[in-house]
Amino acid sequence: MTATRTVELEGHIIDSGMMQRAFGIVMDLDGSFEVEEFDVGKHKDKTSYCRMSISADTQETLQEILHELHQNGANLTDPVDAHVEPAPADRVVPHGFYSTTNHPTEVRYDGEWIGVENIEMDCAIVLEPDPDGREEPRAYTKVLNGIEEGDLVVTDEAGIRVQPPERPRDSSGPFGFMQGGVSSERPSESLIEQVAEAIEETKAEGGKVLVVAGPALVHSGGALDLARLIREGYVDMLSAGNGFATHDIEHGLYGTSLGMDMETMEHPRKGHKHHIYTISEVIRAGGIAEAVDEGLVEEGVMYECVENDVPYVLAGSIRDDGPLPDTITDAVEAQNAIREQAHEADMVLMLSTLLHSVAVGNCLPSDVRVVCVDINPATVTQLLDRGSSQAIGMVTDIGTFVPTLADKILGPAAEGETDGDGYYETDGGADDDSDHGGGHPCGGN
């Protein structure tokens, strides 16, 4: 007996490839479709609409097809209220719970659509009804380890609709300059200028910019230019790891990064110990803010964060030396801190750090603008493969990107803003998850 349901797609479904993907999903999963209505937007700023019936040999196959279509923005034409079941215990979700995408999502309750708060991928949706009529019902995401017994968890796709970000052919909309995915061949200069304009636009609209940075930013010579952007108010939050903060402070104390003199490119005697000396001195001071207050740290990214009240999250890893007192060593606590930042961000710059980029990307809604820069194209590819399809990837040296970006926004650095010896002219940009040498494990994420 054939099972059939009707779905609809609406928006820039041709330009974005949504309709083509929908057809492919149905055929790949051994279903069939019949287009019942198809209205084509005849101008580039007009949307299209498609309604089609989906059929399969069994209800199970049809449900699998509908699940995949739903993840790509197709919604049932005859929605019902969302199904909910109480969580049987803390951190235990009902069987068949709905696992979220990172796209804006709504659930249907009592005949009305409710926006899901704090949307991110791979979470459950908890519904809070309003039995007393005193407040509006709420729907919001919860990670699995945050589920509490009795939470009303949404199950299967019924009564849920998602809205993937649209990609019109022109440069309009919030993703105007983000057309083309990953490439090392597009002109970097013009693309960096577009990124600079997007940052300025975000700030002008009252939005927040989050920077996700890896130690390669320090090694390759871009840290002081990032510090300039922080000082001038173009960065609102920083997400990094113990390694980044350590090498940023190490440079200010010793003029080295991972033991290498940033002016001469030589390894001074005992230079390989500078990172652990740095950690020791910051621990002695009581933390990064205390080290700034007592004059131990007088320049760099972490210095500017403290001086300009820019919040930062340093998430630890198993490879960390020390770590610095500010590093969050509990993985779940660190994840929650990153999640809070991600939910506040309107634009994110991911600068040469694979694991941190993926971690933050997992927490971001798909309507947040994301720029990922790395010398290794695999970093950007993995980010996209993990589901952050809104990201634009630039394959270039991070030590070139950040100074150029700062110059586009702020103009060339005035004399005295660097040490005057050109120590930021080094070649670099390798991802922070690679071997940096020096005979120690510090510098992970």
Side-chain angles (χ1 to χ4, degrees):
M1 180 177 178
T2 302
T4 302
R5 292 296 296 272
T6 303
V7 300
E8 58 185 359
L9 301 94
E10 189 170 8
H12 292 279
I13 59 178
I14 300 175
D15 295 344
S16 65
M18 185 189 300
M19 191 171 70
Q20 180 182 354
R21 287 195 302 273
F23 291 161
I25 288 169
V26 176
M27 291 184 288
D28 289 345
L29 296 178
D30 298 325
S32 61
F33 63 86
E34 180 179 346
V35 176
E36 299 178 346
E37 182 179 347
F38 186 25
D39 296 326
V40 180
K42 297 181 179 180
H43 301 280
K44 62 184 180 181
D45 59 343
K46 300 297 183 181
T47 59
S48 300
Y49 172 83
C50 177
R51 185 179 71 243
M52 59 182 178
S53 62
I54 310 298
S55 300
D57 292 337
T58 67
Q59 184 63 41
E60 290 75 16
T61 301
L62 178 63
Q63 192 61 36
E64 183 181 1
I65 294 172
L66 292 175
H67 172 78
E68 293 298 327
L69 289 175
H70 182 267
Q71 304 289 296
N72 284 273
N75 296 298
L76 296 173
T77 57
D78 54 345
V80 296
D81 281 357
H83 299 156
V84 295
E85 292 183 28
D90 290 351
R91 301 192 298 173
V92 180
V93 291
H95 290 295
F97 78 98
Y98 176 79
S99 179
T100 57
T101 69
N102 59 351
H103 301 315
T105 302
E106 295 175 305
V107 298
R108 190 176 176 89
Y109 172 72
D110 200 18
E112 301 290 336
W113 289 103
I114 305 169
V116 177
E117 302 169 20
N118 296 329
I119 191 67
E120 62 177 278
M121 67 177 73
D122 303 329
C123 291
I125 296 177
V126 173
L127 181 66
E128 287 189 1
D130 178 29
D132 300 324
R134 291 178 298 192
E135 296 181 1
E136 294 294 325
R138 293 180 61 210
Y140 52 91
T141 58
K142 265 193 177 184
V143 293
L144 297 192
N145 63 34
I147 292 292
E148 299 176 87
E149 182 178 358
D151 280 345
L152 294 180
V153 178
V154 176
T155 60
D156 68 49
E157 279 80 27
I160 302 173
R161 64 185 183 190
V162 298
Q163 299 172 332
E166 297 180 347
R167 301 294 199 278
R169 282 183 297 157
D170 63 8
S171 59
S172 64
F175 293 88
F177 73 99
M178 296 188 177
Q179 309 291 327
V182 184
S183 174
S184 58
E185 298 180 355
R186 284 175 291 170
S188 294
E189 185 83 11
S190 60
L191 192 51
I192 294 173
E193 185 168 355
Q194 290 175 314
V195 173
E197 291 172 355
I199 292 174
E200 293 174 322
E201 178 183 313
T202 299
K203 295 299 299 177
E205 294 173 350
K208 292 186 177 183
V209 177
L210 167 64
V211 168
V212 185
L217 179 61
V218 181
H219 309 331
S220 61
L224 283 190
D225 287 288
L226 177 58
R228 289 174 61 205
L229 290 170
I230 294 172
R231 183 166 61 249
E232 297 302 325
Y234 287 92
V235 175
D236 300 282
M237 298 171 285
L238 175 72
S239 180
N242 182 70
F244 173 83
T246 296
H247 300 310
D248 174 66
I249 297 171
E250 175 193 343
H251 174 262
L253 295 181
Y254 301 102
T256 60
S257 177
L258 270 176
M260 184 180 71
D261 191 300
M262 297 295 286
E263 296 178 15
T264 66
M265 302 299 103
E266 297 177 351
H267 286 81
R269 186 170 178 270
K270 294 187 178 181
H272 64 284
K273 297 184 178 182
H274 287 172
H275 78 283
I276 202 68
Y277 291 164
T278 297
I279 293 170
S280 175
E281 291 306 305
V282 175
I283 291 174
R284 191 188 319 278
I288 295 174
E290 291 81 358
V292 170
D293 289 342
E294 70 177 44
L296 176 68
V297 177
E298 297 181 325
E299 66 175 32
V301 173
M302 303 312 300
Y303 170 83
E304 296 296 346
C305 284
V306 172
E307 288 292 285
N308 295 280
D309 296 320
V310 172
Y312 54 86
V313 170
L314 303 181
S317 77
I318 196 66
R319 296 174 295 168
D320 287 338
D321 290 324
L324 293 168
D326 302 72
T327 302
I328 303 173
T329 57
D330 182 283
V332 173
E333 183 183 345
Q335 185 183 97
N336 289 335
I338 289 173
R339 180 170 287 109
E340 289 183 15
Q341 285 188 324
H343 289 168
E344 293 184 26
D346 298 287
M347 183 170 182
V348 182
L349 296 182
M350 298 177 172
L351 306 177
S352 201
T353 169
L354 172 57
L355 298 184
H356 263 73
S357 295
V358 171
V360 174
N362 286 352
C363 300
L364 291 172
S366 63
D367 55 1
V368 173
R369 293 190 280 195
V370 178
V371 179
C372 182
V373 184
D374 203 287
I375 199 69
N376 183 1
T379 297
V380 188
T381 300
Q382 185 165 339
L383 179 68
L384 297 176
D385 288 345
R386 281 288 301 158
S388 300
S389 58
Q390 79 271 30
I392 182 175
M394 288 189 63
V395 181
T396 189
D397 176 18
I398 196 68
T400 299
F401 174 84
V402 175
T404 305
L405 179 67
D407 288 350
K408 295 289 185 183
I409 296 176
L410 304 174
E415 187 160 350
E417 286 193 272
T418 67
D419 65 2
D421 293 306
Y423 74 91
Y424 274 163
E425 298 300 318
T426 63
D427 187 22
D431 183 70
D432 63 306
D433 303 312
S434 62
D435 249 334
H436 299 304
H440 61 80
C442 189
N445 291 295

